[in-house]
Every structure is written in C-alpha cells, then in structure tokens.
Amino acid sequence: MGLRDFLELLQKSGELTRIAEQVSTEYELAGVIDALGERPVYFDNVTESAVPVVAGLVSSKELICRALGITREQLLPRLSSAIEGPVAPSLVKDAACQEVVYTGEDVDLAKLPIMRYTDKDGGKYITSAVSIVKDPQTGKQNMCFHRLMFKNRNHFIARIVENRGTDSILKKTGGELDIAICVGNSTAVLLAAATSLPHGVDELGMANALERTDVVKCKTVDINVPADSEIVFEGKITNEKASEGPFLDLTGVVDRIRQQPVIGINCLTHRKNPIYQTILAGKNEHKFLMGMPKEPTIYNEVNKVCQCKDVYITPGGCSWLHAVVQIHKTNADDGRKAIFAAFEGHKSLKHIVVVDEDINIYDPHDVEWAISTRFQADKNLIVLSNQSGSSLDPSGDLSEGKKATTAKAGIDATTPLLTTGKGFKKEEYLKVDLKKYVM
C-alpha cells in the first residue's frame, strides 16, 4: 500500500503518534524521532516549513510486512520472488506526484523540511530519497539511495558510492547525467531501491512485483518515477564537485568529507499537500532498508548448495556486516558450503554464523548457545584474509583510491551429523497450559 494508505491504517489502529507541538528541523525533529524509538510518527507543525514530516514507517519487520499485506513468514520468499521475477510497471499519463509543478526560478528546496540531524552534520540532509537515472547506452533505469546534502535553493551535493550503479553510468556519460529524486514512497519502492539487482534490471520492476507500482514520465527528463511519490525533483548530475559530509553512516559513526557531484534541480513536482518522509541515519529504518534486501540474495545463494531455511542480517552487525543463516543439514559439509555461499550472496558480509533449524536466529542468546555448544574453532572456523570488503567497516583497510579490504570469518555452528542427539540438542520440559494452574 502507498505511504498515505499506510499512514491511515496506522492512524486507525492507534499506532501513529501525532505531534502537534511546533518542532524544528534543526536537531529537534531527529531527537524526538529517536526518543520515540522510531515508532511511526507524524509531525503536523514544523517550524521551518509548511510541509509535515513522517518517520518510523519501516522501523521493524512487522511494519514492513503490514505495509506489504503479508506475514513475517512470507517476507523472505516474497522478497526473493520479486528479486528473481521483476514485473515491468504500467506507465500512466496522470499521476498524483505531479499535481503541483514548479520549474526554473520557482524551484526552492529551502521550503522543504530538510533536516539537520546531529551537531556533526556538515549541513542539512535528505536521507529518504530514492534516485533514478537511465543508462544512455542501454536505456535501462537504475534506482537506489543517495544521501543528499542541501547546497542552495536549487542544488544538492550527492554522496555517490564509487563503482556502483549511478557512478558506473556517470562514467559512460563523462560525468553529467539526468536524474529524478523521489521523497515519500511506498515500502515496496523503498525496499526495491535498497536492493542491488543485476545491471540493466529496473528496480521499479521489483517494486511492482511486491505490489502494484505504476510509474509516470517526468516533466523535464526522460525518466519514469513512482506515480504516487509525494515529492519528485528533476535535474542533472553535473561535473561540478563540492565538499559533502561529514554525516552519520550505517554503522552509527561519522563518515568523512569527500568531494562529490553537485546536482542541479530544474523542476519540482509534488502531490497536493505533500508529506515529507525522513529516516534517521544509523538507526533501525536505515538498517532494515540496507540489510534486509540482502537476506533474499543470501537465501538464494545458500539454496544452491544446501537447503536454506532462513536468513537474518543482524542489527548488532550494523545490518550489513553480520548474518546468521539457518539450514537443514543433510551432508557433513553443508555448514561450510553455506558459509561460502553466504559470502557470495552478500559481498560486503564480514562475519557469518550458520546454525541448525532448532536455533532461533532472531535470538542472539540462542545463536551464541549454538556457537558455544556446537562449534570448535580448529575444525569449524573459516578465515579469509585480504578480502574485498565494505567501505562502511571502519576497521578495514579504507586507503584512499582503492577498494576497501578486510578479513572475513565464517562459523559453522551446526550439529555434527554422526553425533546428532548425543549432547548437541537442548532438552525440553513438559509443555503445560498455565491457565490450569494459575488463576
């Protein structure tokens, strides 16, 4: 369901906190969202803007599932299916995201509630925007997240990660490229934008496979955007570079200042009475959007070598660097094979733990119990040195001008097949109905 439909559902169920008190974009909005534990919240009265702000809509798997109209058990296979089988969205002529149109001198980004989150921020930022560009050689679109630092009334500075989708297309064009940027999107669009699909596969097709997602052509650039986005910026990535950062990253530490591309905005469209969506960097929404789309890619790879039951990219691992994989073990080397497959499924993964079906992968105590009782470091530990890693890992080699490298480790915490049932299984107590004993 769209952002507005989901807000209505949460309002009716009493799960949406409404803040009528005036709140500032300068640190205060972020502070209130954090204090609320990122539960869904709607700010009616923003000091610096007439546009209301929402947050917390993808702060848990339960909320994500409800927005998609599925159960938690259906989430992993649903994501996996959408990744494997994207469906081209329908192109419509009229769309809610274009009810109001500003061009040229009428564009003024300063009227939006663009926020400053912490006193370490290098400026005001948009964190929830999905960016869409088109490869001029193939005509295929690519959708992803880029944090956007406000520069002036019609310019942003974008953090564009090297050698990824947008950067790869930019290199083909000599450094200038049309772009559309969408704020206030459905959960399906957010998940699709956060997923790394093969080059040439439009992420909007994944969003449409998750739930119907119509698209509309932009007013000034040849790019299709979600028809029910709240706000859309149309413009161009330029050859101009400017200082971007510092800003909080996924790990919760401050990212460094870089010279990054400037984006000029020549058209702004939005719905009548638009709603601005924000996400706290390094917190739950950021983590779920970053990590969760990698769970089905790991799931698919592990299923090639053994039967995978579930995957969890853990918050403690910054929802990017650590994963727990649950398998149905039928061969002695299934745990080992699952480790290598998991690294293939998510190349930024640093540590992986493989467990049996009786282990609750969402309970860190249960996972630790499996490691303590089923793992021997000299037999079940795999260490890989000097591996391609993630630029988000501050302990890796992040030397300027080269790809990040790190050491990786895999822990096979599965039960040895020949000794199953001999000291490796938890004994269960009798299950009783407490209503029979306690009044």
Side-chain angles (χ1 to χ4, degrees), residues 1-3 5 67-70 78 82 86-94 185-190 192 203-216 225-229 271:
M1 65 185 74
L3 181 143
D5 291 333
L68 295 176
I70 59 176
R78 182 71 169 273
V87 178
S90 297
L91 180 66
V92 298
K93 291 184 178 181
D94 299 309
N185 295 289
S186 70
T187 295
V189 168
L190 295 177
E203 286 79 8
L204 282 169
M206 175 186 167
N208 192 44
L210 286 171
E211 66 177 20
R212 179 171 176 172
T213 304
D214 292 341
V215 297
V216 67
V225 296
D228 67 349
S229 293
R271 299 178 66 137

Side-chain angles (χ1 to χ4, degrees), residues 86-327:
V87 178
S90 297
L91 180 66
V92 298
K93 291 184 178 181
D94 299 309
C97 69
Q98 296 176 342
E99 289 173 335
V100 181
V101 179
Y102 296 99
T103 58
E105 294 299 315
D106 292 330
V107 173
D108 189 356
L109 305 177
K111 291 183 178 180
L112 295 171
I114 303 174
M115 295 164 54
R116 199 183 299 266
Y117 294 81
T118 78
D119 60 5
K120 302 295 191 300
D121 296 354
K124 290 192 170 189
Y125 271 88
I126 296 181
T127 56
S128 65
V130 302
S131 297
I132 305 173
V133 297
K134 179 180 286 190
D135 188 321
Q137 295 180 3
T138 66
K140 302 294 185 180
Q141 293 194 168
N142 180 78
M143 179 171 69
C144 63
F145 282 91
H146 295 305
R147 71 186 186 217
L148 303 171
M149 183 177 175
F150 174 79
K151 187 174 189 289
N152 56 39
R153 57 176 294 277
N154 59 353
H155 290 89
F156 292 115
I157 309 168
R159 168 59 179 138
I160 297 178
V161 178
E162 296 75 12
N163 302 314
R164 300 281 178 85
T166 302
D167 184 62
S168 298
I169 297 173
L170 265 175
K171 289 174 179 175
K172 297 180 181 181
T173 66
E176 291 200 343
L177 184 65
D178 287 342
I179 188 171
I181 301 165
C182 310
V183 176
N185 295 289
S186 70
T187 295
V189 168
L190 295 177
L191 289 172
T195 303
S196 298
L197 296 180
H199 180 69
V201 178
D202 188 351
E203 286 79 8
L204 282 169
M206 175 186 167
N208 192 44
L210 286 171
E211 66 177 20
R212 179 171 176 172
T213 304
D214 292 341
V215 297
V216 67
K217 186 176 179 179
C218 287
K219 294 291 186 180
T220 63
V221 295
D222 185 20
I223 294 173
N224 295 334
V225 296
D228 67 349
S229 293
E230 292 291 322
I231 303 166
V232 178
F233 310 110
E234 301 177 14
K236 185 184 290 291
I237 304 173
T238 71
N239 280 306
E240 181 186 353
K241 298 289 181 70
S243 295
E244 186 277 325
F247 193 66
L248 282 183
D249 219 326
L250 183 66
T251 56
V253 299
V254 177
D255 198 9
R256 70 178 190 270
I257 299 173
R258 299 176 179 86
Q259 293 299 300
Q260 292 289 286
V262 173
I263 298 177
I265 304 300
N266 54 52
C267 180
L268 188 160
T269 72
H270 62 72
R271 299 178 66 137
K272 293 177 181 176
N273 302 313
I275 302 169
Y276 181 93
Q277 185 176 19
T278 190
I279 291 171
L280 294 190
K283 294 294 185 175
N284 287 338
E285 289 195 278
H286 189 185
K287 288 180 177 179
F288 277 114
L289 286 174
M290 279 287 288
M292 202 172 67
K294 288 298 183 183
E295 292 172 356
T297 65
I298 294 172
Y299 176 81
N300 290 340
E301 288 296 324
V302 174
N303 263 319
K304 294 177 182 178
V305 299
C306 62
Q307 187 178 355
C308 185
K309 305 299 290 186
D310 204 355
V311 178
Y312 184 39
I313 295 186
T314 65
C318 305
S319 288
W320 192 247
L321 302 174
H322 290 180
V324 184
V325 173
Q326 184 189 69
I327 66 170

Side-chain angles (χ1 to χ4, degrees), residues 407-421:
K408 298 187 177 186
I411 294 173
D412 180 3
T414 58
T415 303
L417 287 176
L418 296 179
T419 54
T420 298

